[in-house]
Amino acid sequence: MATAVEEWVEEQAKLAQPARIHWCDGTEGEALRLLEIGMSEEKLNGPVFWELNQKKWPKAYLHRSHPTDVARTEHLTYVCHPSREMSGPNNNWMEPGEAKQLLTRLSTGCMKGRTMYVLPYMMGHPDSPYAKACVQITDSSYVAISMRIMTRLGKQALEKLKNRHDFVRGFHSIGDLSPTRRFIMHFPDDNLVWSIGSGYGGNALLGKKCFSLRIASWLGYRQGWLAEHMVIMGIEDPRGEITYICGAFPSACGKTNLAMMESALGGYRVWTLGDDIAWLNIGPDGRLWAINPETGYFGVAPGTSMTSNPNMMRTLRRGLFTPTLFTNVALNLDTNEPWWEGLDGPVPEKLLDWQGRPWKPNSKEKAAHPNSRFTVSIYNTPTLSPEFDNPQGVPISAIIFGGRRGQLIPLVVEGFDWTHGVFLGARMGSETTAAAAGEVGLVRRDPMAMLPFCGYNLGVYFRHWLNIGNRLSKPPKIFSVNWFRLDENGRFLWPGFGENMRVLKWIIDRVKNRVGAKETPVGLVPHLDDLELDGLNLPREKLAKLVEVNMSEWKREIEEIKKFFQQFGQHLPRELWDQLGAMERAVKS
Ligand code: GTP
Ligand code: SPV
Ligand code: MN
């Protein structure tokens, strides 16, 4: 008798009409065979996969996406609850029946002549009580190989899927790649993601943002846990004690760099657990426990170098668990190596740009797309935490919320308590980046870095955060950070990257009650003498600027927060209005 998964796959095949169906076993051999096929398949900008210099980049391949398909498309992403109100003003909405009709029309025969890959996978370790069994179908071998890197894909997942009906379903087809026939739609009540017309990242690797954040945040709301856009890391101090923290930053705002940072501060080191997604559960001990449901990085290439992120450079060349993919980077024709802006060494003489066109160093355009990325297994990370595969996860002592803000937001602020900490997350703003289609550099509200990823009404989500806090007997402390404040010449005031450990040290010192803090209207800030600044050439006035709380600028910010909160009407928790009111009074006095 057919299992529920087989039946579902059968139904989708009737709709999409592929030439053949391939159930993926998730082995390296299978991935290499798919790469081999892709190397001889020509598209408009080159083969599907290009083998890179194998001596320097073991089992690494270049892929170029369609030039109109280079980032998540938030305007084409929908969350289809039965009621528009539950989707909230933060999501595009369509009535689920109507949405399915539209998608059925677009999906009819969409895989004609192509192979349909069936991907059984787990988000989370198969032995974890928090893990979820899922299945995705796709007609893209690039997506199939990427999912092998990013998730636990194969036999074990299929075993878990047997005799189950509650698995998460993902239908994915690149369709005709036309932006006018591109939709990424979510049906939370059916555990279903349906994506057509894009082959890129978060639009197509449905285990990532679509399931592990949008659908999972809704599961978390109903089941009492949190699915968050967060890094997870352990910080070992000179005494050998490890403190686990989580950090939410919007897309392309520093999570990957933070997660595997090489500390500029002697005696401290980072253990990596995750760089993008955390599932947070309340443990039996009343603490918050985090697992990373993924097994890989889909990381931003530009800016990655031995100076900014040496551990990622080592990860990319490690070659233990393979393959490794590069998407939309440039190609060094002399050495057959990938290249991007910010990589170590001189700019190569002979390059093809991300679209496969000849590129010259004096060109005004970037050689690598600003959202070009690598897909690489987390098991290649030299700093991987020994706890990474622990099914229970790790206990979290601090949560940090960080945005990209040229002005206003201090280097670090501690929340007065959980409720004020939730307010710090809810009031977050950040400048937009190339990770999503649209204008770059505009400040928008991005609460908890979840604006594009929360699968339900953000007002209800804030209430859920407050409720979680009430159930924690030992809640983590909550902080706000900003690595991106600028001086009057538009240069970063803070050196960032490995130097961020100086801020994390203060955070840990606060968690362990080793230092005091100064109260301001916006939260607790460090006494300057408590910041470890030895060996850092930072003039005192720059430091003062980094932690400055400018009251007139904050008055403007408060108006922005008010406008944002108002959209959520009765769903916005009264406690957050109270926090905003208290801050406003303190700022004005
Ligand atoms: P997503 O994968 O889109 O979720 O992004 P992310 O949050 O993991 O961001 P990532 O670490 O890839 O960094 C994105 C960009 O921010 C890169 O260009 C980095 O060089 C830059 N960046 C990261 N950390 C810092 C920092 O501490 N200071 C400064 N100035 N830039 C940083
Ligand atoms: C992000 O945009 O936050 C990413 C990349 O991590 S994507 O997988 O495209 O969502
Ligand atoms: Mn992300």
Side-chain angles (χ1 to χ4, degrees):
M1 212 182 74
T3 63
V5 177
E6 286 164 348
E7 276 172 18
W8 183 76
V9 169
E10 194 55 40
E11 261 172 58
Q12 309 318 305
K14 273 199 194 121
L15 176 66
Q17 302 161 30
R20 53 200 107 47
I21 301 178
H22 176 100
W23 288 72
C24 287
D25 63 15
T27 57
E28 186 187 47
E30 176 181 75
L32 296 178
R33 280 195 301 280
L34 296 183
L35 284 158
E36 203 62 49
I37 298 169
M39 282 192 275
S40 56
E41 271 176 309
E42 283 292 325
K43 305 175 295 160
L44 83 157
N45 51 8
V48 177
F49 298 109
W50 175 263
E51 190 179 76
L52 293 163
N53 184 324
Q54 297 291 298
K55 275 218 184 75
K56 297 206 168 133
W57 305 86
K59 299 257 170 59
Y61 299 80
L62 169 67
H63 171 80
R64 297 192 187 108
S65 72
H66 191 277
T68 66
D69 186 29
V70 293
R72 281 182 295 101
T73 42
E74 295 177 2
H75 60 295
L76 304 174
T77 302
Y78 286 69
V79 176
C80 305
H81 285 279
S83 87
R84 163 173 276 182
E85 194 174 352
M86 192 43 89
S87 294
N90 46 297
N91 282 304
N92 297 312
W93 179 82
M94 204 182 282
E95 192 278 314
E98 189 188 331
K100 284 181 187 167
Q101 249 177 23
L102 169 68
L103 292 170
T104 302
R105 190 157 51 73
L106 293 174
S107 304
T108 302
C110 65
M111 296 188 185
K112 267 188 189 153
R114 300 185 191 151
T115 303
M116 177 170 110
Y117 301 98
V118 183
L119 316 171
Y121 68 98
M122 300 288 303
M123 295 314 290
H125 191 280
D127 296 336
S128 172
Y130 311 127
K132 303 279 184 242
C134 318
V135 63
Q136 173 172 345
I137 56 164
T138 179
D139 53 5
S140 155
S141 60
Y142 167 77
V143 168
I145 296 169
S146 301
M147 287 291 286
R148 165 174 199 269
I149 302 168
M150 299 302 295
T151 74
R152 295 168 172 92
L153 191 154
K155 291 230 164 64
Q156 228 181 339
L158 198 56
E159 230 16 73
K160 294 261 172 194
L161 283 162
K162 267 190 195 152
N163 315 316
R164 294 195 72 129
H165 293 266
D166 62 346
F167 55 88
V168 180
R169 299 143 165 84
F171 180 110
H172 172 251
S173 169
I174 55 174
D176 61 6
L177 287 170
S178 158
T180 59
R181 284 182 289 280
R182 179 177 296 161
F183 290 100
I184 299 90
M185 291 198 171
H186 304 72
F187 302 90
D189 285 346
D190 304 328
N191 277 332
L192 171 67
V193 183
W194 197 332
S195 163
I196 186 157
S198 165
Y200 195 85
N203 288 343
L205 313 180
L206 303 187
K208 198 173 178 57
K209 297 308 190 348
C210 298
F211 170 53
S212 290
L213 290 179
R214 296 194 192 96
I215 300 280
S217 61
W218 175 245
L219 289 176
Y221 169 66
R222 291 191 312 174
Q223 301 168 354
W225 53 282
L226 292 165
E228 297 297 328
H229 192 201
M230 288 181 176
V231 324
I232 312 170
M233 59 204 282
I235 299 158
E236 185 173 334
D237 68 15
R239 305 171 201 200
E241 283 174 33
I242 300 179
T243 307
Y244 294 98
I245 72 168
C246 281
F249 297 72
S251 303
C253 291
K255 289 183 301 300
T256 304
N257 280 273
L258 189 67
M260 54 203 319
M261 154 222 290
E262 195 160 80
S263 172
L265 206 57
Y268 286 81
R269 62 168 303 177
V270 164
W271 294 101
T272 308
L273 290 115
D275 82 319
D276 201 47
I277 297 176
W279 285 355
L280 305 173
N281 280 273
I282 301 173
D285 58 358
R287 289 191 290 176
L288 196 61
W289 288 73
I291 65 160
N292 171 10
E294 303 190 284
T295 56
Y297 307 104
F298 182 59
V300 178
T304 308
S305 70
M306 281 310 283
T307 328
S308 65
N309 193 350
N311 285 321
M312 183 53 88
M313 295 306 294
R314 293 176 191 122
T315 301
L316 290 168
R317 291 173 188 266
R318 190 101 173 270
L320 275 181
F321 187 100
T322 65
T324 295
L325 303 179
F326 289 90
T327 305
N328 296 341
V329 299
L331 179 65
N332 181 338
L333 285 174
D334 284 326
T335 61
N336 195 31
E337 292 182 85
W339 191 83
W340 51 81
E341 279 74 13
L343 187 64
D344 312 87
V347 178
E349 292 286 322
K350 279 191 2 218
L351 275 179
L352 293 184
D353 74 1
W354 64 276
Q355 297 190 63
R357 304 170 306 191
W359 185 89
K360 285 270 164 299
N362 60 4
S363 166
K364 280 196 193 69
E365 287 178 56
K366 304 262 190 228
H369 189 277
N371 194 37
S372 56
R373 295 199 175 232
F374 43 74
T375 318
V376 63
S377 169
I378 200 167
Y379 292 105
N380 290 327
T381 318
T383 56
L384 187 68
S385 163
E387 300 299 318
F388 175 73
D389 273 326
N390 186 333
Q392 304 302 325
V394 292
I396 298 302
S397 301
I399 292 174
I400 58 185
F401 289 123
R404 183 183 284 269
R405 291 296 293 268
Q407 267 76 44
L408 186 78
I409 306 295
L411 181 62
V412 59
V413 175
E414 179 185 329
F416 300 124
D417 54 24
W418 180 269
T419 305
H420 184 243
V422 172
F423 173 70
L424 291 182
R427 67 123 177 83
M428 261 173 81
S430 193
E431 291 149 24
T432 50
T433 66
E439 199 172 337
V440 165
L442 300 175
V443 175
R444 70 170 183 185
R445 294 297 118 194
D446 191 351
M448 281 86 169
M450 283 289 278
L451 179 75
F453 307 122
C454 185
Y456 61 104
N457 190 312
L458 275 173
V460 180
Y461 165 82
F462 296 147
R463 165 62 61 208
H464 183 48
W465 262 84
L466 294 172
N467 289 344
I468 293 275
N470 288 335
R471 289 173 50 209
L472 290 167
S473 56
K474 295 182 207 99
K477 276 182 182 266
I478 301 181
F479 298 81
S480 143
V481 301
N482 179 21
W483 317 139
F484 299 94
R485 210 162 173 174
L486 303 172
D487 66 13
E488 53 284 359
N489 301 316
R491 278 188 299 249
F492 291 119
L493 281 162
W494 181 249
F497 303 99
E499 304 289 356
N500 292 334
M501 184 56 87
R502 299 174 190 275
V503 175
L504 300 183
K505 175 185 182 293
W506 184 77
I507 288 174
I508 292 168
D509 287 345
R510 287 293 299 160
V511 164
K512 305 218 161 185
N513 289 315
R514 289 176 187 153
V515 293
K518 195 171 86 185
E519 192 165 332
T520 78
V522 302
L524 303 166
V525 301
H527 295 296
L528 293 189
D529 292 338
D530 288 332
L531 282 177
E532 176 59 74
L533 298 170
D534 260 12
L536 187 65
N537 188 11
L538 191 71
R540 197 79 179 180
E541 67 272 12
K542 276 199 177 185
L543 185 62
K545 179 81 191 158
L546 274 164
V547 294
E548 178 197 81
V549 177
N550 179 317
M551 300 306 167
S552 64
E553 284 180 26
W554 271 99
K555 281 181 198 155
R556 251 177 287 143
E557 180 81 354
I558 287 168
E559 292 313 310
E560 291 299 311
I561 301 170
K562 256 187 218 166
K563 259 193 269 166
F564 181 70
F565 279 6
Q566 270 158 4
Q567 297 175 75
F568 300 97
Q570 41 127 4
H571 290 300
L572 197 101
R574 186 188 35 82
E575 291 91 323
L576 296 188
W577 280 120
D578 291 347
Q579 292 289 337
L580 183 62
M583 176 164 98
E584 188 170 19
R585 281 191 301 280
V587 163
K588 285 190 174 153
S589 68

